[in-house]
Amino acid sequence: MAMSRVWREGVVTGLLGAGAVAGWFFVVDLIGGRPLYTPDMLGRALISVIGYTGTPTMAVAVTSYTLFHVAAFMAVGTVAIRLVEISRRAPHVTVGL
């Protein structure tokens, strides 16, 4: 498998995973009566870890966390697809997975 295909499949896998998790928490937050509560709180935590001492707006917190969330899922998806590709060529690697 060419590396471009690994990247493409990894990004798609990551986007699907990120969308599923984000959708789940959006529904949970809607049921709780506080839409976007989870990404808002996680975004504020992420921003505070980066070192920002002010209070970010909800839009900034949600956007920051969403960008981080999608990038992290795309990275994990790409690594997972790469490991699957390696295990196809060397089945003994599957045991380590």
Side-chain angles (χ1 to χ4, degrees):
M1 180 183 288
M3 280 307 284
S4 63
R5 186 170 174 202
V6 169
W7 283 105
R8 185 178 52 241
E9 288 184 13
V11 167
V12 169
T13 301
L15 290 173
L16 289 172
V21 171
W24 170 258
F25 280 108
F26 183 70
V27 169
V28 168
D29 290 345
L30 275 179
I31 291 170
R34 299 186 297 193
L36 299 177
Y37 177 75
T38 300
D40 181 33
M41 289 299 109
L42 292 172
R44 289 174 192 275
L46 176 66
I47 290 170
S48 71
V49 167
I50 291 171
Y52 182 73
T53 57
T55 304
T57 64
M58 182 179 190
V60 169
V62 170
T63 302
S64 300
Y65 182 71
T66 300
L67 292 173
F68 173 78
H69 174 83
V70 170
F73 267 80
M74 287 176 15
V76 170
T78 302
V79 169
I81 294 296
R82 182 69 180 136
L83 289 172
V84 167
E85 175 57 27
I86 290 170
S87 70
R88 284 183 183 158
R89 283 187 263 134
H92 64 278
V93 172
T94 305
V95 175
L97 295 177

